[in-house]
Structure formats: C-alpha cells, structure tokens
C-alpha cells in the first residue's frame, strides 16, 4: 500500500491530475468489458485513461484481476506515467496471477537497460516488490547491473531492492554475491547510495542478528560520517542508527565521532535529532567525566531536547518519553531546564502527566521551592486526574529531597484544609508514605488527618488512614473507636480496606490488649467465619493462631520494624534502562519496554547494552536481599530461531571438549521480605501451628469452622505443615521410551541412527545405535548440534573407537551438557544434529522429552513456593486437561517424582486432592504446578505457572506422557 501511495504521488510530477474524481465514480454494469476494450484501444490517450480507471477501481477494493493480460500489454510504451501505472497494477496482482506475471519479465529486463535512469530504477524497484518466486530468478542479472549503474538514483534503488529480494529468498541473495556488492556501496561517492546501502544491510542484519553483515570498522565509520552531512533526513537517520551499533576502540575515537555527529542536533527533523542524541548518549559512556569535552557535550544536548517541546502535542509526548529515559541516565543534562517542563494550561493530559513525572526526576534541593509552588498551583486545577497526580508528586518530592519534607508536609496540610474531597484523599495516601520514609518526625499531623475521617470514600485513602491509625495507635487516644467505626460496614468495604483493617486492629490489640480484646475477637470472627474472600480468611487464621499460640512471636511479626521506602520506586531497572537508551527514537523508548516485549515474528531481537558499562558498578547484579530474589538468571529460551540447518553447515565437527555441568543458578530470595499473610495459597500454611499459651485461654481458641489441620497438635514443626506425613514415596523408575529411528539409512548413504534421550544420575545422555547398511566400512565419527532452546551440546566426543563394518551395529552413549549456544526452536524441544564420518556429513532433527532437563534439586522450599507463585503474573498461568488417567493422587505423585517433578504440598478440598509441585529446568527456569485429582474422575486438571510461559506446553505433554505410561 505504501508503494502505491509513493508512486501515485510521484505521478504528479508528470502533470497527471490524479485527484480527478471521475476515475472513481463509474458504476456501469459492463465496466470490466468496457475497460478491456479501452485497454486494447489504438489511441494512447484512451489507453492511459483506461489504466487510470483500473488503478482507481483497484484502489477502492474492486477486483480487476481479470484485466491482467490486457494491462500487461500496455507495458510496451515510452510514456513513463503509463508505465508507472501498469507497474503499480502488476505489484498488486502478480501474486494471484504468477503465470501471467511471467509475461512481463521480458519488459522488465528490457526496461532495466533503458537509457532513461528513471525507467531503469522503476523496473528494478517493481521487480523487487513482486513477491513471486518465478520472477525472482529473472531479477538477478538486471539487479546486478543496476547495483553498478552509472546513475546514483538507479544504484540507490537497487540497494533497497537487495533487501526486498533477501526477504523473499535469502539464500539466492547470498549465492549471487549481492551482499558483498551491497557492502561495496558503503564506499560509494553518492551519499544517498551510501544511506540506502546502510538501510538495506541493517534490514537484512535484523533478520540475521549474528551474521555480522555490517562489519563496522574505523574506515567504514569515517565513510558514513562523511556521507552524513550530504544525505536527506531519512538517510541521516539510517546512518546514525547504524553508528549507534558501533563500539569505539577508545575514548579518543568516541570523542571524534561525537564531534562529527553533534551538528545533527540542530536539524529541523525531530527524528534526526533523537537519532543523534542516541549516538551521543551511547558514546558518552566511554568519555572520562573529567574531560572538558564531556561537560561541553552535556551543555550541547540540552537545547535540542528543549526545542522538541515546542512541537505539536504528539511529538512533544514522544520527546518527553525519551527525555524521561535520558533524565534517569544523566539528570545533569537538563538540571537547569526545569521551567520548560512546567505544565501549560492547554497541554493535553498525556503531556501534562509526562511533564509532571520529569519534574519529579529533576527535583533537587536547588529547585524544590520552585517545583513545590508549581505543584501546589496544579493541585487547584479542574482536571481531577491531573490534580491527583500533582498531590502525589508533592509526596514524591518529600521522599526524594529530604530537606524539603517539612515544606511538602506543610503544603499537603494546606491542601487538606481546602476540604476538596479527592485532594484530601490523595494527600492522606502520600502522607502515609512520608511517615514510612521519616518515622517519628511528622506524626503531629495525625490529629488533622483524623478530622477528615468521615469524608474518605475511596478504598486506597481509607486503607491509608486505617494503616496510620493502626501504626500509631498508642498516640491516638480514641484509636479503638476510630477503627470500630470502620468495622461497622466491614462486609461492604473493598478487600484492600478489609485486609488493612484486620492488620490495624491486631496491631492495636498488641499495643493495648486489655481494652481491645472484644474488638479483635470481632474482626477475626468477621474475617474467618463470615467472609468468602480466601486472602482475608487466610490472614485472619494466621493472626488467630499466632495470637493464641505465642503472643510474643505475634508481636515480633506484626509490629516488626518496617524497612524505609526507597527514594524512587518507579525508576527503570538499570539494565533495562541501558537497553532503552540504545533504542532512543524508536517505539521501545515510547513504550519503555524492550523490543522483545512487543515485536513478534521470526526476527531475532538483539538485546543492546551501553559500551563500557558491563563492568561498572551501576549494572552489577542486584542485592541478594532484594524482594525480587526469586527471579533467577534470565531464562535461556528467549533468542528466536534463525535458519533451520543453515548454521550446521559452518560448524566445526572436530570433537568438542566441553565438559562439566552448567553453573548453578543463584536464588537470592530474601525470606524476611516475603508477605506470608496476603495470598490465596497461604492457606497451605495451615498445617500445625497449634498449641496453647498463657494468653490462649483469655484470647479464645480457634473457631470451630477452621480446617481440621489448623487444630492439629505441634508435631514435626514445618516438616509436617503440608500434610505429607508419609513422604512422597520412592521413585518407581523414570519414563524410558523405546529408541526411535532418527536418521534412516536411505537418507544417509547407508548409515542408520536410532536413539533415545535418558537422564541417569543427573547426567543427560543420548543413547544411540549406529548401523552400517552400506557396503563399505565407516569410521572417523564426529557429532555436533545446532543452537537450540536449552543449550544442549555434546559434553565430549562421540566415542566410537572401532570402524563400523557393513551390516554391523554399535551402541554409543553421548553425555550432554546444557552450556551450549541458545536459540529458540519450534517446537521448543527440537534438536538439529550433524553427524560426520569418512563418507559424508549427514543432518537430522529429533525431539527430546523436556523431562530430561528437570534437575534433581527442583524441590522448592514451601515459603519460596508461595512467594514465587504470587510473584509470577497471572497472565503466565496455563491450564490443561489430562484425560483418561486412573491413578490416585499418591500414585501420581510417586510417578512424577521419578521424573524430578516434586510434590511440595497436598490438600484435600471437598473430596478433590490438590498437589502443589515444582520442577527446575537445567537453565534455571522454575515451573510451578497445581494438579487436581478427583477420586473416581479419570480427568485431571493441571495449572502451570512459569516466568517463561513458552515451556508450559512441553511440560504439560511430559506430565501426560509420565502419568499415562
């Protein structure tokens, strides 16, 4: 469609009035017949008019493919306008009429040698747009000539045609040597040819990330920088994006490139400016900060970014999203430009909110007074959403700039005095965070907050106020009355408020036990006996058991000192920020997500990093105590699949020396940071926290409606929590399928290979039978794997020590490691193998059961299981049915354990057994499962949760195979 638009626009330069509506208004019954007659007319003008009508009909969606031969006959003309129209028609219908399209080939070839360079370029461009294999063969020779044409317009068109041809038939382009010709065009004397060659090579490199097509070196970079000054704006963008992929050798080269790119910052096109900013942001990483030029460059970057904010709102928004990233990486660039981010009255809401975010990021002790005055002004606006954000922003300022906290609290109190309902509620929410950041400092304002208790109607504000009352109950004389007023409508409150109220009343009870005993009994009864919400019930039961069993422990848990909240909770994670900086000026920088998160398809998306930052302190691994500790090393199933067996052709088939198991995946879960009170699965903890204490009698025993396991006596501590008293059982022998024929003799010159994958004592083995069905002796065997989803690779050479005689078979066991190169395959467990012997190299594909990758230490700790299940997004959960399975839950558990699928917990709910299981893949990916087994029902339900949901289907298939074996 883009091609049509471009060519229709180009027709205007030949004086054609394509805006004439007459071509679009014909409604005659015999339209096709009449057009056919006009196309075969002897009059050139009539023929041209007919083609225009055909194109008009095609544009509005009418099917005019029946006129294909008649339109093709019009190609033999000297009229450039007519020729363009015919080529436009051909591009659209060649795919549906490939046999007819061949008729046009001779004209294409002839036009590629026309004296007029416009016609030569038009012919080669059209041939590249016709995605028909039969025509592609005829395109090679004309394209080769056009790539070396004397006219630069033809060469630049041919360069783009190579990329289009590569998309249709990559192998053909490589065989014909077009890629080398394209690389030569980077040295072309015409800057537009250079830009198009770079664009074409970049496009091809995207679909082959590891091909190293753009072999960038100082000489090439110099040529690109020379062409940069004379290119069109889009040519400049292609070259700048290419430069951004280059890593300079040292800081001198980095400075030299920056100096030559800096003039692009003053370009009128915002895309050129952002591409230049991307290059400079990347190369600045290599410049010493004490260098004079570094400071100069920082000053030069600010004005163009500020200028972008004077464009129309949509462009402003894109600029602001990019500036947001830049400010997080280098706030010093815009630290003196706070005023340009002040909101204008006529800014759209999306621009206002983005400006507000950047203002907070730039807030410092030097400008906080200015920022607060501005924010206070915003809080009186009419736009409710914007006012809410402005009030929150004041709170963020207090948390970020400690010296301003008192002024921020004072501003918030002024806003509360306005008695505007939504302002008051937002203020209370942010004051809660300020209390967390600065404990025992601003509690004097609590009285003012309590005055507004009756006006709170939003769940978040009510929950915040309840938290404040519970946290500072000892300072509030009538805390019990305040909380009791909330309790009156307990069942009408949202879950967020109910949970907070439950915790607050338990806190109050622990601080004032004698006065609030009835109140806590009442809330625990409401939460456990009268509520349908599992989260609320679970938390209520845990508090009940804690209080009745060990009040001292309850005090330590519930009244524990809370960690201070961080200054910036919404900063982008450093490694992701580095990648986004490398994508400035693209959609990734607007979404604030890496391309791999929203680009689908077969093309591999490379993860980019800033130079020189790999060893810097900023990108070190996160603190093992962080709450996100369960997120293991990134799953190795992410890279996408390239050519099927293409990479095998270049493999070195000499015996490999790779040995040793993969490095262990680190788990940095901080147990103390886990919220055991707030998740649906927490009822699993209801095993045996029973017992009595001195306070038990006064407090009251557990309610009769609690699950029986809650009343169980203390026996084996945590070991018996999950009602697995008898253990899970001993392995019954893992699933061992028979050998399958992987390589038939007829496809491998007499060599037949059959085999099976097994896991023995923690080692994956490929057990093979090699049979010689040829008439000659076979020897010198070697084996190699293509890149695959889980990095499977031979851990040693293929041990076949004696020659394989005719009609002889030999057994071989090849140990495998999981430290090879990784590439996502389809299906995920597909493995492509090359086997070499003294006769030839042979290729085959086979599939390994994913259970081979389940490691022996895949049994997760109970608490870690709960935290991980809650931490994995619900979108990553998959549910499957296993039909016709007649095992009870214990037999199923025993059988699965033999495949390293471990049962963590078992519950029985209304006659249905629920097994909670974990398994760990060799590359560190954890898979969690909930298996539901109903007595008498042969159909099981399994829910799988995993951070890499691509593996869920394979894991389900493995469950099915094991349970039905």
């Amino acid at each position: 469609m883009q091609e049509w638009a471009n060519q229709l626009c180009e027709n205007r330069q030949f004086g054609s009035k394509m805006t004439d509506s007459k071509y679009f208004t014909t409604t005659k019954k015999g339209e096709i017949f009449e057009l056919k007659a006009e196309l075969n007319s002897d009059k050139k003008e009539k023929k041209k008019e007919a083609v225009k009508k055909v194109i008009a009909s095609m544009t509005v969606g009418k099917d005019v493919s029946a006129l294909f031969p008649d339109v093709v006959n019009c190609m033999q003309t000297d009229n450039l306008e007519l020729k363009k129209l015919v080529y436009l028609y051909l591009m659209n219908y060649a795919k549906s009429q490939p046999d007819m399209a061949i008729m046009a080939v001779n004209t294409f070839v002839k036009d590629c040698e026309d004296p007029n360079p416009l016609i030569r370029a038009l012919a080669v461009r059209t041939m590249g747009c016709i995605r028909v294999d039969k025509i592609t063969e005829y395109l090679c020779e004309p394209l080769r000539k056009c790539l070396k044409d004397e006219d630069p317009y033809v060469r630049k068109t041919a360069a783009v045609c190579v990329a289009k041809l590569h998309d249709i038939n990559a192998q053909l382009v490589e065989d014909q040597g077009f890629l080398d010709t394209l690389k030569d065009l980077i040295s072309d004397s015409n800057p537009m040819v250079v830009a198009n060659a770079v664009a074409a090579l970049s496009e091809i490199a995207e679909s082959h990330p590891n091909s190293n097509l753009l072999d960038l070196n100082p000489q090439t970079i110099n040529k690109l920088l020379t062409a940069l000054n004379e290119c069109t704006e889009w040519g400049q963008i292609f070259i700048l994006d290419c430069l951004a992929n280059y890593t300079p050798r040292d800081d001198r080269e980095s400075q030299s490139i920056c100096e030559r790119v800096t003039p692009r910052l003053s370009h009128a096109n915002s895309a050129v400016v952002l591409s230049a900013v991307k290059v400079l942001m990347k190369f600045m990483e290599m410049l010493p900060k004490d260098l004079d030029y570094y400071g100069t460059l920082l000053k030069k970057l600010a004005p163009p970014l500020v200028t972008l904010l004077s464009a129309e709102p949509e462009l402003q928004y894109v600029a602001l999203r990019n500036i947001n990233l830049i400010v997080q990486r280098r706030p010093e660039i815009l630290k003196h430009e706070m005023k340009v981010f002040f909101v204008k009255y006529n800014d759209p809401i999306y621009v206002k909110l983005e400006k507000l975010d950047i203002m907070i990021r730039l807030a410092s002790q030097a400008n906080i007074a200015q920022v607060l005055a501005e924010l206070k002004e915003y809080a009186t606006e009419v736009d409710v959403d914007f006012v809410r954000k402005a009030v929150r922003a004041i709170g963020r300022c207090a948390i970020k700039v400690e010296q301003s906290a008192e002024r921020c609290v004072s501003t918030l109190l002024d806003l509360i005095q306005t008695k505007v309902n939504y302002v008051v509620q937002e203020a209370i929410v942010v004051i809660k965070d300020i209390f967390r950041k600065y404990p025992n400092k601003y509690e004097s304002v609590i009285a003012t907050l309590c005055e507004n208790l009756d006006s709170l109607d939003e769940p978040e504000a009510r929950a915040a106020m309840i938290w404040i009352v519970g946290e500072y109950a000892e300072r509030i004389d009538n805390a019990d009355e305040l909380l009791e007023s909330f309790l009156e409508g307990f069942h009408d409150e949202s879950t967020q408020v109910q949970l907070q109220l439950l915790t607050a009343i338990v806190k109050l009870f622990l601080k004032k036990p004698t006065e609030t005993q009835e109140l806590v009994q009442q809330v625990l009864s409401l939460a456990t006996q009268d509520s349908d919400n599992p989260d609320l019930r679970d938390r209520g039961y845990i508090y009940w058991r804690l209080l009745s069993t060990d009040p001292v422990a309850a005090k330590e848990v519930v009244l524990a000192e809370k960690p201070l909240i961080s200054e910036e909770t919404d900063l982008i994670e450093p490694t992701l920020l580095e990648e986004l900086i490398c994508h400035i000026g693209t959609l990734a920088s607007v979404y604030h997500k890496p391309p791999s998160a929203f680009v689908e398809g077969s093309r591999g998306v490379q993860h980019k990093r800033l130079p020189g930052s790999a060893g810097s302190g900023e990108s070190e691994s996160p603190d093992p105590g962080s709450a996100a500790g369960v997120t293991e090393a990134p799953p190795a199933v992410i890279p996408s699949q390239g050519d099927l067996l293409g990479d095998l052709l270049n493999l070195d088939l000499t015996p490999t020396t790779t040995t040793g198991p993969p490095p262990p995946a680190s788990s940095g879960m901080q147990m103390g940071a886990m919220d055991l009170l707030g998740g649906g699965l927490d009822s699993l903890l209801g095993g045996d926290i029973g017992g009595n204490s001195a306070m038990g009698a006064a407090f009251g025993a557990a309610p009769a409606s609690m699950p029986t396991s809650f009343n169980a006596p203390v026996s084996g501590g945590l070991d018996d929590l999950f009602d697995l008293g008898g253990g899970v059982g001993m392995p019954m022998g893992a699933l061992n399928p028979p050998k399958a024929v992987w390589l038939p003799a007829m496809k491998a010159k007499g060599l037949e290979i059959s085999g099976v994958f097994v896991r023995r004592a923690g080692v994956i083995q490929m057990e093979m039978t090699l049979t010689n069905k040829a008439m000659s002796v076979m020897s010198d065997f070697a084996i190699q794997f293509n890149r695959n989803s889980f990095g499977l690779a031979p851990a040693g050479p293929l041990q076949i020590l004696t020659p394989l005689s005719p009609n002889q078979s030999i057994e071989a066991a090849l140990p495998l490691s999981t430290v090879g190169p990784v590439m996502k395959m389809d299906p995920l467990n597909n493995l492509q193998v090359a086997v070499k012997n003294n006769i030839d190299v042979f290729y085959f594909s086979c599939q390994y059961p994913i259970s081979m990758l389940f490691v022996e230490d895949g049994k997760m700790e109970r608490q870690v299981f709960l935290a991980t299940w809650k931490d994995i997004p619900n979108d990553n959960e998959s549910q499957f049915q296993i039909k016709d399975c007649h095992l009870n839950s214990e037999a199923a558990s025993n059988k699965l354990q033999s495949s390293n699928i471990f049962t963590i917990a078992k519950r029985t709910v209304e006659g249905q057994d629920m097994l909670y299981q974990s398994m760990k893949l060799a590359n560190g990916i954890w898979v969690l499962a909930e298996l539901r087994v109903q007595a008498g029902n042969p159909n099981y339900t399994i829910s799988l949760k995993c951070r890499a949901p691509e593996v869920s289907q394979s894991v389900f298939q493995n469950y099915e195979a094991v349970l039905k074996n």
Side-chain angles (χ1 to χ4, degrees), residues 77-387:
T77 177
D78 297 329
N79 186 309
L80 185 57
E81 185 184 357
L82 179 56
K83 196 177 281 285
K84 279 191 171 189
L85 292 168
V86 174
Y87 278 179
L88 199 57
Y89 177 89
L90 271 172
M91 276 190 266
N92 193 42
Y93 283 118
K95 202 161 190 177
S96 59
Q97 306 265 2
D99 295 329
M100 300 291 286
I102 293 290
M103 293 164 50
V105 165
N106 285 337
T107 312
F108 280 135
V109 175
K110 185 180 165 190
D111 283 354
C112 285
E113 296 177 2
D114 194 276
N116 185 341
L118 289 175
I119 290 181
R120 296 202 297 275
L122 179 64
V124 80
R125 177 168 66 187
T126 309
M127 285 180 83
C129 292
I130 295 177
R131 303 177 65 83
V132 176
D133 289 334
K134 293 178 181 177
I135 287 187
T136 307
E137 299 164 17
Y138 297 98
L139 178 59
C140 295
E141 277 313 308
L143 181 56
R144 186 174 284 108
K145 288 178 185 174
C146 289
L147 283 167
K148 295 178 180 175
D149 198 280
E150 59 186 19
D151 192 286
Y153 180 76
V154 180
R155 293 200 299 277
K156 85 175 183 72
T157 308
V160 176
C161 188
V162 173
K164 290 179 179 177
L165 184 59
H166 189 274
D167 197 35
I168 301 167
N169 190 336
Q171 194 59 49
L172 181 69
V173 170
E174 289 166 25
D175 295 345
Q176 294 286 338
F178 288 144
L179 293 179
D180 295 328
T181 314
L182 211 49
K183 288 178 190 174
D184 294 341
L185 288 181
I186 291 179
S187 308
D188 198 276
S189 57
N190 185 286
M192 269 317 298
V193 177
V194 176
N196 277 22
V198 168
L201 284 169
S202 301
E203 180 79 16
I204 294 168
E206 270 183 33
S207 57
H208 292 73
N210 301 314
S211 57
N212 197 25
L213 282 175
L214 274 163
D215 185 17
L216 298 174
N217 54 51
Q219 292 75 28
T220 311
I221 293 297
N222 190 42
K223 289 169 187 169
L224 294 180
L225 288 166
T226 305
L228 187 62
N229 299 322
E230 302 169 47
C231 278
T232 64
E233 50 197 21
W234 296 112
Q236 290 181 34
I237 292 165
F238 288 133
I239 291 176
L240 287 167
D241 286 350
C242 180
L243 286 173
N245 294 324
Y246 176 61
T247 304
R249 293 167 303 175
D250 52 35
D251 57 335
R252 286 182 62 189
E253 188 185 4
S254 186
Q255 182 177 339
S256 168
I257 294 171
C258 287
E259 285 170 352
R260 295 177 70 178
V261 168
T262 306
R264 300 301 108 211
L265 293 173
S266 57
H267 201 283
N269 187 316
S270 51
V272 175
V273 174
L274 284 175
S275 291
V277 168
K278 171 167 61 182
V279 174
L280 296 172
M281 284 291 292
K282 186 173 179 183
F283 289 0
M284 277 172 75
E285 296 290 329
M286 296 190 67
L287 297 177
K289 292 193 176 180
D290 54 0
L291 196 70
D292 289 342
Y293 180 72
Y294 181 84
T296 309
L297 195 53
L298 286 178
K299 289 175 187 170
K300 285 183 178 177
L301 275 168
L305 292 172
V306 170
T307 305
L308 290 175
L309 298 182
S310 58
E312 53 265 37
E314 292 79 9
L315 278 180
Q316 274 188 58
Y317 179 72
V318 171
L320 286 165
R321 293 293 280 176
N322 281 275
I323 288 169
N324 201 324
L325 298 174
I326 293 164
V327 164
Q328 287 185 55
R329 184 73 189 173
R330 299 209 177 279
E332 62 270 29
I333 292 175
L334 290 161
K335 66 180 178 183
H336 299 303
E337 304 290 345
M338 175 65 85
K339 281 192 175 178
V340 300
F341 299 106
F342 286 175
V343 170
K344 296 175 185 170
Y345 77 95
N346 58 348
D347 280 338
I349 184 67
Y350 54 88
V351 170
K352 284 181 177 179
L353 296 178
E354 205 58 40
K355 281 185 174 179
L356 204 56
D357 200 32
I358 294 169
M359 280 171 66
I360 307 306
R361 298 204 192 287
L362 291 175
S364 64
Q365 198 174 344
N367 58 25
I368 194 70
Q370 200 180 17
V371 171
L372 275 179
E374 194 73 14
L375 290 175
K376 191 172 179 182
E377 195 70 33
Y378 298 161
T380 60
E381 289 258 356
V382 291
D383 189 322
V384 176
D385 285 339
F386 182 54
V387 170

Side-chain angles (χ1 to χ4, degrees), residues 720-738:
D720 291 332
L721 268 181
F722 287 81
D723 192 21
L724 290 173
V728 182
M730 297 303 292
M732 296 166 54
L735 171 64
N736 283 327

Side-chain angles (χ1 to χ4, degrees), residues 612-898:
S613 57
S616 71
E618 293 172 352
S619 56
E620 289 293 324
S621 57
D623 174 18
S626 67
V630 188
T631 56
E632 306 269 344
V637 236
I638 299 306
S640 63
Q641 183 176 357
D643 292 336
L644 284 174
L645 285 170
D647 290 350
L648 283 172
L649 297 171
N650 299 320
L651 288 175
D652 179 8
L653 285 167
T654 52
T656 177
T657 56
T658 307
T659 55
S666 62
S667 175
M669 161 66 77
Q670 180 193 14
M671 295 309 297
M674 196 188 307
D675 177 13
L676 288 174
L677 307 180
L681 278 176
D682 292 342
S683 53
L684 286 174
L685 281 171
D688 37 28
I689 322 174
N692 292 306
S693 70
M695 188 176 176
F699 179 72
S705 65
M706 288 173 66
T708 51
S709 58
F710 275 90
N711 293 313
V714 177
S715 54
L718 283 174
D719 292 334
D720 291 332
L721 268 181
F722 287 81
D723 192 21
L724 290 173
V728 182
M730 297 303 292
M732 296 166 54
L735 171 64
N736 283 327
K739 285 183 181 176
V741 176
W742 288 336
L743 182 66
M746 60 184 292
K747 289 189 177 179
K749 300 182 181 177
L751 173 65
E752 184 183 277
I753 300 178
S754 56
V756 68
F757 292 88
V758 295
R759 186 178 184 95
R760 300 193 199 285
V763 178
I764 306 170
Q765 290 192 326
M766 192 177 182
E767 294 188 348
M768 295 178 283
T769 302
L770 284 75
T771 305
N772 183 356
K773 295 189 176 180
M775 302 302 291
S776 55
V777 175
M778 296 179 180
S779 61
D780 304 326
F781 285 92
I783 192 167
Q784 186 60 283
F785 296 172
N786 196 2
R787 293 175 296 169
N788 54 81
S789 303
F790 296 94
L792 282 180
L798 183 59
Q799 297 286 355
I800 298 178
L801 304 177
T802 56
L804 190 58
S805 303
N807 297 317
Q808 183 188 354
S809 293
I810 194 165
E811 302 289 331
L814 179 70
L816 307 180
S817 73
T818 54
V819 293
V822 174
M823 177 174 71
K824 186 176 177 183
M825 304 297 286
D826 187 18
L828 210 59
N829 59 340
N830 194 30
L831 182 66
Q832 297 165 351
V833 185
V835 173
K836 180 181 86 76
N837 61 15
N838 59 324
I839 296 172
D840 205 344
V841 179
F842 309 106
Y843 304 99
F844 65 89
S845 289
C846 55
Q847 291 181 15
Y848 48 91
I850 202 166
S851 59
M852 294 302 104
L853 302 165
F854 294 165
V855 294
E856 284 66 25
D857 63 343
K859 187 168 185 177
M860 213 178 232
E861 291 293 327
R862 279 98 166 158
Q863 289 93 334
V864 178
F865 182 97
L866 297 181
T868 308
W869 185 281
K870 284 185 281 184
D871 196 38
I872 296 173
N874 289 334
D875 292 346
N876 286 20
E877 186 172 350
S878 306
Q879 199 168 79
F880 304 94
Q881 288 280 334
I882 301 174
K883 297 184 178 178
D884 301 318
C885 201
H886 300 277
L887 300 172
N888 63 27
S889 59
E890 189 165 347
S893 177
N894 291 342
K895 211 165 192 187
L896 290 165
Q897 182 160 327
S898 67

